[in-house]
CSV table of all heavy atoms in Angstrom, one decimal:
chain,number,residue,atom,x,y,z
A,186,ILE,N,-5.0,-2.9,16.6
A,186,ILE,CA,-3.9,-3.6,17.2
A,186,ILE,C,-3.1,-4.3,16.0
A,186,ILE,O,-2.0,-4.3,15.8
A,186,ILE,CB,-4.2,-4.6,18.2
A,186,ILE,CG1,-4.8,-3.7,19.4
A,186,ILE,CG2,-3.0,-5.3,18.8
A,186,ILE,CD1,-5.3,-4.6,20.5
A,187,GLN,N,-3.9,-5.0,15.1
A,187,GLN,CA,-3.5,-5.7,14.1
A,187,GLN,C,-2.7,-4.8,13.0
A,187,GLN,O,-1.5,-5.0,12.6
A,187,GLN,CB,-4.5,-6.5,13.4
A,187,GLN,CG,-5.1,-7.6,14.3
A,187,GLN,CD,-6.3,-8.3,13.7
A,187,GLN,OE1,-7.0,-7.7,12.8
A,187,GLN,NE2,-6.6,-9.6,14.1
A,188,VAL,N,-3.4,-3.8,12.6
A,188,VAL,CA,-2.8,-3.0,11.7
A,188,VAL,C,-1.6,-2.2,12.1
A,188,VAL,O,-0.6,-1.9,11.3
A,188,VAL,CB,-3.9,-1.9,11.0
A,188,VAL,CG1,-4.1,-0.8,11.9
A,188,VAL,CG2,-3.6,-1.4,9.6
A,189,THR,N,-1.5,-1.9,13.4
A,189,THR,CA,-0.5,-1.2,14.0
A,189,THR,C,0.8,-2.1,14.0
A,189,THR,O,1.9,-1.8,13.5
A,189,THR,CB,-0.6,-0.7,15.5
A,189,THR,OG1,-1.8,0.1,15.4
A,189,THR,CG2,0.5,-0.1,16.1
A,190,ALA,N,0.5,-3.4,14.4
A,190,ALA,CA,1.8,-4.3,14.4
A,190,ALA,C,2.2,-4.6,13.1
A,190,ALA,O,3.4,-4.6,12.8
A,190,ALA,CB,1.2,-5.6,15.0
A,191,CYS,N,1.2,-4.9,12.1
A,191,CYS,CA,1.7,-5.0,10.7
A,191,CYS,C,2.4,-3.8,9.9
A,191,CYS,O,3.4,-3.9,9.4
A,191,CYS,CB,0.5,-5.4,9.9
A,191,CYS,SG,-0.5,-6.9,10.2
A,192,GLY,N,2.0,-2.7,10.3
A,192,GLY,CA,2.5,-1.4,9.8
A,192,GLY,C,3.8,-1.2,10.4
A,192,GLY,O,4.7,-0.5,9.7
A,193,HIS,N,4.1,-1.7,11.7
A,193,HIS,CA,5.3,-1.4,12.4
A,193,HIS,C,6.4,-2.6,12.2
A,193,HIS,O,7.5,-2.6,13.0
A,193,HIS,CB,5.1,-1.1,13.8
A,193,HIS,CG,4.6,0.3,13.8
A,193,HIS,ND1,4.2,0.9,15.1
A,193,HIS,CD2,4.4,1.4,13.0
A,193,HIS,CE1,3.7,2.2,15.0
A,193,HIS,NE2,3.9,2.5,13.6
A,194,SER,N,6.1,-3.5,11.2
A,194,SER,CA,7.0,-4.7,11.1
A,194,SER,C,8.3,-4.4,10.6
A,194,SER,O,9.2,-5.0,10.7
A,194,SER,CB,6.3,-5.8,10.3
A,194,SER,OG,7.1,-6.9,10.0
A,195,ILE,N,8.3,-3.3,9.8
A,195,ILE,CA,9.5,-2.7,9.0
A,195,ILE,C,9.7,-1.2,9.4
A,195,ILE,O,8.9,-0.7,9.8
A,195,ILE,CB,9.5,-3.0,7.5
A,195,ILE,CG1,8.1,-2.3,7.0
A,195,ILE,CG2,9.5,-4.4,7.2
A,195,ILE,CD1,8.1,-2.3,5.5
A,196,GLY,N,11.0,-0.9,9.3
A,196,GLY,CA,11.4,0.5,9.6
A,196,GLY,C,11.4,0.7,11.1
A,196,GLY,O,11.7,-0.1,11.9
A,197,GLY,N,11.6,2.0,11.4
A,197,GLY,CA,11.9,2.5,12.7
A,197,GLY,C,11.4,3.9,13.0
A,197,GLY,O,10.5,4.5,12.2
A,198,VAL,N,11.9,4.5,14.0
A,198,VAL,CA,11.5,6.0,14.4
A,198,VAL,C,12.8,6.8,14.2
A,198,VAL,O,13.8,6.4,14.8
A,198,VAL,CB,11.0,5.9,15.9
A,198,VAL,CG1,10.5,7.3,16.2
A,198,VAL,CG2,9.8,5.0,16.1
A,199,HIS,N,12.5,8.0,13.6
A,199,HIS,CA,13.7,8.8,13.3
A,199,HIS,C,13.9,9.9,14.4
A,199,HIS,O,12.9,10.6,14.8
A,199,HIS,CB,13.5,9.5,12.0
A,199,HIS,CG,13.5,8.5,10.9
A,199,HIS,ND1,12.3,7.8,10.4
A,199,HIS,CD2,14.5,7.9,10.1
A,199,HIS,CE1,12.7,7.0,9.5
A,199,HIS,NE2,13.9,7.1,9.3
A,200,GLU,N,15.1,10.1,14.9
A,200,GLU,CA,15.3,11.0,15.9
A,200,GLU,C,15.1,12.5,15.4
A,200,GLU,O,14.7,13.4,16.2
A,200,GLU,CB,16.8,10.9,16.4
A,200,GLU,CG,17.9,11.1,15.3
A,200,GLU,CD,19.2,10.8,15.9
A,200,GLU,OE1,19.5,9.8,16.5
A,200,GLU,OE2,20.2,11.7,15.6
A,201,ASN,N,15.2,12.8,14.2
A,201,ASN,CA,15.0,14.2,13.7
A,201,ASN,C,13.6,14.5,13.9
A,201,ASN,O,13.3,15.8,14.2
A,201,ASN,CB,15.4,14.3,12.3
A,201,ASN,CG,17.0,14.4,12.0
A,201,ASN,OD1,17.5,14.6,13.1
A,201,ASN,ND2,17.4,14.2,10.8
A,202,GLU,N,12.7,13.6,13.7
A,202,GLU,CA,11.3,13.9,13.7
A,202,GLU,C,10.6,13.7,15.2
A,202,GLU,O,9.7,14.4,15.6
A,202,GLU,CB,10.4,13.1,12.7
A,202,GLU,CG,10.7,13.3,11.3
A,202,GLU,CD,11.8,12.8,10.7
A,202,GLU,OE1,12.1,11.7,10.7
A,202,GLU,OE2,12.6,13.7,10.3
A,203,PHE,N,11.2,12.8,16.0
A,203,PHE,CA,10.6,12.5,17.2
A,203,PHE,C,11.8,12.4,18.3
A,203,PHE,O,12.1,11.3,18.8
A,203,PHE,CB,10.1,11.0,17.1
A,203,PHE,CG,8.9,11.0,16.2
A,203,PHE,CD1,9.0,10.5,15.0
A,203,PHE,CD2,7.5,11.5,16.6
A,203,PHE,CE1,7.8,10.5,14.1
A,203,PHE,CE2,6.4,11.4,15.7
A,203,PHE,CZ,6.6,10.8,14.4
A,204,PRO,N,12.4,13.5,18.6
A,204,PRO,CA,13.6,13.5,19.7
A,204,PRO,C,13.2,13.2,20.9
A,204,PRO,O,13.9,12.7,21.8
A,204,PRO,CB,14.0,15.0,19.5
A,204,PRO,CG,12.9,15.7,19.0
A,204,PRO,CD,12.2,14.9,18.1
A,205,ALA,N,11.8,13.2,21.3
A,205,ALA,CA,11.3,12.9,22.6
A,205,ALA,C,11.5,11.3,22.9
A,205,ALA,O,11.3,10.8,23.9
A,205,ALA,CB,10.0,13.5,22.9
A,206,ILE,N,11.4,10.8,21.7
A,206,ILE,CA,11.1,9.2,21.8
A,206,ILE,C,12.6,8.7,21.4
A,206,ILE,O,13.1,7.6,22.1
A,206,ILE,CB,10.3,8.7,20.6
A,206,ILE,CG1,8.8,9.3,20.9
A,206,ILE,CG2,10.3,7.2,20.5
A,206,ILE,CD1,7.8,9.0,19.9
A,207,VAL,N,13.4,9.3,20.4
A,207,VAL,CA,14.7,8.9,20.0
A,207,VAL,C,15.6,10.1,20.1
A,207,VAL,O,15.7,10.8,19.2
A,207,VAL,CB,14.7,8.3,18.6
A,207,VAL,CG1,16.1,7.6,18.2
A,207,VAL,CG2,13.8,7.1,18.3
A,208,PRO,N,16.2,10.2,21.2
A,208,PRO,CA,17.1,11.6,21.5
A,208,PRO,C,18.2,11.6,20.5
A,208,PRO,O,18.6,10.6,19.8
A,208,PRO,CB,17.8,11.3,22.8
A,208,PRO,CG,16.7,10.2,23.5
A,208,PRO,CD,16.2,9.3,22.4
A,209,ALA,N,18.5,12.9,20.0
A,209,ALA,CA,19.5,13.1,19.0
A,209,ALA,C,20.7,12.5,19.3
A,209,ALA,O,21.2,12.5,20.5
A,209,ALA,CB,19.6,14.6,18.8
A,210,GLY,N,21.4,11.8,18.4
A,210,GLY,CA,22.7,11.3,18.6
A,210,GLY,C,22.7,9.9,19.3
A,210,GLY,O,23.8,9.3,19.5
A,211,SER,N,21.5,9.4,19.5
A,211,SER,CA,21.5,8.0,20.2
A,211,SER,C,21.6,6.8,19.3
A,211,SER,O,21.6,5.7,19.9
A,211,SER,CB,20.2,8.0,21.0
A,211,SER,OG,19.1,8.0,20.2
A,212,THR,N,21.4,7.1,17.9
A,212,THR,CA,21.6,6.1,17.0
A,212,THR,C,22.6,6.2,15.9
A,212,THR,O,22.8,7.4,15.8
A,212,THR,CB,20.1,5.9,16.4
A,212,THR,OG1,19.8,7.0,15.6
A,212,THR,CG2,19.0,5.6,17.3
A,213,PRO,N,23.2,5.1,15.4
A,213,PRO,CA,24.2,5.4,14.4
A,213,PRO,C,23.8,6.1,13.1
A,213,PRO,O,24.5,6.6,12.5
A,213,PRO,CB,24.8,3.9,14.2
A,213,PRO,CG,23.5,3.1,14.5
A,213,PRO,CD,22.9,3.8,15.7
A,214,ASN,N,22.4,5.9,12.8
A,214,ASN,CA,22.1,6.4,11.5
A,214,ASN,C,20.7,7.3,11.6
A,214,ASN,O,20.1,7.6,10.6
A,214,ASN,CB,21.8,5.3,10.6
A,214,ASN,CG,20.8,4.3,10.9
A,214,ASN,OD1,20.2,4.5,11.9
A,214,ASN,ND2,20.7,3.3,10.2
A,215,GLY,N,20.4,7.6,12.8
A,215,GLY,CA,19.3,8.6,13.0
A,215,GLY,C,17.9,7.8,13.1
A,215,GLY,O,16.9,8.4,13.2
A,216,GLU,N,17.9,6.5,13.1
A,216,GLU,CA,16.7,5.7,13.2
A,216,GLU,C,16.9,4.5,14.3
A,216,GLU,O,17.8,3.9,14.4
A,216,GLU,CB,16.5,5.0,11.8
A,216,GLU,CG,15.3,4.2,11.8
A,216,GLU,CD,15.1,3.2,10.7
A,216,GLU,OE1,16.2,2.5,10.2
A,216,GLU,OE2,14.1,3.2,10.0
A,217,ALA,N,15.9,4.4,15.1
A,217,ALA,CA,15.7,3.3,16.1
A,217,ALA,C,14.8,2.4,15.5
A,217,ALA,O,13.6,2.6,15.3
A,217,ALA,CB,15.3,3.9,17.5
A,218,PRO,N,15.2,1.1,15.3
A,218,PRO,CA,14.4,0.1,14.6
A,218,PRO,C,13.2,-0.3,15.5
A,218,PRO,O,13.3,-0.3,16.8
A,218,PRO,CB,15.2,-1.1,14.4
A,218,PRO,CG,16.7,-0.6,14.4
A,218,PRO,CD,16.6,0.6,15.2
A,219,LEU,N,12.1,-0.7,15.0
A,219,LEU,CA,11.0,-1.1,15.7
A,219,LEU,C,11.0,-2.5,16.1
A,219,LEU,O,10.3,-3.0,17.1
A,219,LEU,CB,9.7,-0.8,14.9
A,219,LEU,CG,9.3,0.5,14.6
A,219,LEU,CD1,8.3,0.8,13.5
A,219,LEU,CD2,8.6,1.2,15.9
A,220,ASP,N,11.9,-3.4,15.5
A,220,ASP,CA,12.3,-4.6,15.9
A,220,ASP,C,13.5,-5.1,15.4
A,220,ASP,O,14.2,-4.3,14.8
A,220,ASP,CB,11.1,-5.7,15.5
A,220,ASP,CG,11.0,-5.9,14.1
A,220,ASP,OD1,11.9,-5.6,13.3
A,220,ASP,OD2,9.9,-6.3,13.6
Side-chain angles (χ1 to χ4, degrees):
I186 298 168
Q187 292 169 341
V188 80
T189 300
C191 296
H193 286 177
S194 175
I195 54 177
V198 181
H199 295 93
E200 60 184 44
N201 284 345
E202 287 82 61
F203 299 98
I206 300 173
V207 184
S211 63
T212 63
N214 59 6
E216 179 194 49
L219 291 162
D220 66 20

